[in-house]
Amino acid sequence: MTNNKSVLEWIEDKKALVNPDKVVWIDGSEEQLEALRAEACATGEIIKLNQEKLPGCYLHRTAVNDVARVEHRTFICSDKEEDAGPTNHWMAPADAYKMLYDIARGSYKGRTMYVIPYSMGPVGSPFAKYGIELTDSIYVVLNMSIMTRVGQNVLDALGDSDDWVRGLHCKCEIDEEKRYICHFPQDNTIISVNSGYGGNVLLGKKCFALRIASNLGRNEGWMAEHMLILGLENPQGEVKYIAAAFPSACGKTNLAMLIPPELYRKKGYKVWCVGDDIAWMRVGEDGRLWAVNPENGFFGVAPGTNMKSNPNALISTQKGTIFTNVVHNLDDNTVWWEGLDKNPPTNSLNWKGEVWNADPETKGAHPNSRFTAPAKNCPCVSPEFDSGKGVPISAIVFGGRRAKTAPLVYQSRDWENGVFVGSIMASETTAAATGAVGVVRRDPMAMLPFCGYHMADYWAHWLEMGKKLGDKAPKIFNVNWFRLDDEGHFIWPGFGDNMRVLEWIIDRCEGKADAVETPIGFVPKAEDINLEELDLSLDTLKSLLEVDKDLWNTEAEGIEEFYQKFGDKLPEELKAQLDGLKARLK
Ligand code: GTP
Ligand code: SPV
Ligand code: MN
């Protein structure tokens, strides 16, 4: 399929290492994918679902010990330890290669090596970057074929260039103790062994599009971010684009596909989804910040997705979708998860494949169960989705799960202060990564698990980008949909009603809305958030917008402690921002 020497040599080399029975190049054709689906069904790797109700849909179960990203086994193998920084695990490249090659050696015996040429970003776009993933998993081939642009045209676009990302995935024995996800930014290489879970093995996603790409972006002067991209169309038909970074399982897919409340729809508002997880952003010819979604599908959290919370996501999963670790309804050969509806199937298997039958004592689907759906299925997919030049970003929004501290929304004072706001993001942990759930941790720009180099250098890069953008920089905001009342219930209705907050954000960008200055930034005047047709009092909204000085003084201490990790590398600007915050809180 190609004469590219760097490609052919690398594949020969890896083939000699893992020793497959045969090699199959993925050409992107439907015939080849269909044959692979049939093969995977025959071995039980995937299960064909009811093709009348869910055409082209399949179910897959991962190993029970392999259901989420494993941050403690994810490494940045830069030449110098200092370049990985205090928030990443580091391994010396030579040691890592040796260890990984020892694990991978001969592991494809009796298996097929699939060669997946893929593009992150529309093929041929100035944003696009190419990669090749070698894998022994059909599940990975099928998922990559949904999540990225795969096939011959990628090799054609690559030509004989050496500028592509090498990815080797070996299932091996799915041994937890030998599971490693390693990144070699200096070699544009990723090696993943002993896992079959999405975020660890779909190497185009977090490994390439964030950890490797953040390095590329730093060197080449652009940004790779854990952000959704949405377009908000007003009744005049103008579309403004927003990029938003929330930690894993904190609402990116939901916000990206938001359906505005009826009163907004009647007026003619509409939200378009450009991306739900990753944004690559560059300064455009006009000096503004332009973004593309490098992915081609959604790897979304299933639990909680329903016709009320996110109809667009649910509709996206009704054809051509792979479900992972959800409930199998044996009555009609469909799928179910907690929060889909109130009728858990009584004749069913849980995510482990055990008889479940709607047992009220246990969860049927894994909390991090996922769907892999083609972006083109989404009813609100943006007309700009495939645009190689991207979309201009008006606002950047940070957010996380905070029971108390963070108000519903606030605007940073300027770009530098906005970088500070992103750097101090904190959120309660979720099931998207293994480990305790619900613990508050700092997750700067939602990039803690994904920044492929020293976090303080990453902040410096953000500050640098701000200088390049000057007065054309997007405005920076922070949101929190997750404030709790004393009974532990969410106070803000969230989901579609988040539109009311987006409206204020866009109005601020256009200088149309007022605000109240607080020590942390600008919050809305309560009257400026539209509460029409919402069962929420103005007083409750006021409480959601409150900035509690005591809580924020404690927060400032936490930030100070967090910042200490970065030592001399912490940009002066951020140190000054923290001092400014402390002074304003006095
Ligand atoms: P990753 O794919 O892991 O990066 O996650 P994500 O950021 O795309 O999160 P997603 O949209 O899948 O949401 C995860 C969970 O957050 C879902 O179970 C939702 O129920 C919940 N959620 C999303 N939006 C809101 C909201 O506005 N309010 C509340 N209360 N919950 C929300
Ligand atoms: C996340 O955890 O942020 C995800 C899912 O989007 S994964 O692909 O597993 O990283
Ligand atoms: Mn994500």
Side-chain angles (χ1 to χ4, degrees), residues 69-230:
R69 286 181 292 99
V70 281
E71 294 176 7
H72 59 297
R73 309 198 71 93
T74 298
F75 292 81
I76 301 299
C77 308
S78 44
D79 288 325
K80 285 194 264 160
E81 179 165 11
E82 193 193 5
D83 289 334
T87 57
N88 281 309
H89 299 288
W90 176 82
M91 220 186 286
D95 296 346
Y97 277 125
K98 172 157 191 330
M99 177 193 73
L100 294 164
Y101 288 166
D102 285 347
I103 293 171
R105 188 165 295 112
S107 72
Y108 278 38
K109 197 156 186 346
R111 302 181 185 179
T112 300
M113 172 188 274
Y114 299 99
V115 180
I116 314 171
Y118 65 96
S119 174
M120 300 312 291
V123 179
S125 148
F127 284 83
K129 298 268 176 196
Y130 307 120
I132 292 181
E133 175 166 357
L134 306 180
T135 180
D136 53 348
S137 159
I138 297 180
Y139 171 74
V140 168
V141 172
L142 298 176
N143 272 274
M144 284 293 285
S145 300
I146 296 171
M147 293 306 298
T148 74
R149 294 152 171 102
V150 164
Q152 181 65 51
N153 61 339
V154 174
L155 292 171
D156 295 344
L158 180 64
D160 48 24
S161 164
D162 186 24
D163 183 12
W164 54 279
V165 171
R166 287 100 173 117
L168 173 64
H169 166 237
C170 309
K171 277 192 295 192
C172 302
E173 318 315 320
I174 316 285
D175 179 347
E176 261 178 297
E177 302 301 319
K178 293 188 186 154
R179 184 168 301 151
Y180 292 98
I181 324 298
C182 294
H183 308 72
F184 302 84
Q186 68 284 12
D187 301 333
N188 277 347
T189 296
I190 306 156
I191 302 180
S192 164
V193 294
N194 276 298
S195 175
Y197 167 75
N200 301 328
V201 300
L202 307 180
L203 300 186
K205 197 173 177 54
K206 296 308 183 9
C207 301
F208 178 169
L210 291 178
R211 297 194 192 99
I212 295 289
S214 57
N215 279 280
L216 298 173
R218 177 196 187 189
N219 296 337
E220 298 168 6
W222 52 279
M223 310 167 89
E225 301 297 332
H226 190 201
M227 290 181 180
L228 68 93
I229 309 164
L230 66 81

Side-chain angles (χ1 to χ4, degrees), residues 67-69 71 197-200 202 205-206 210-211 226 246-249 252-253 276-278 295 299-301 368 370 430 432-433 446 449-450:
V67 293
R69 286 181 292 99
E71 294 176 7
Y197 167 75
N200 301 328
L202 307 180
K205 197 173 177 54
K206 296 308 183 9
L210 291 178
R211 297 194 192 99
H226 190 201
F246 310 152
S248 301
K252 288 184 298 302
T253 303
D276 81 324
D277 199 50
I278 298 177
E295 301 192 280
F299 186 60
V301 179
N368 190 41
R370 299 253 166 187
T430 66
F450 306 121

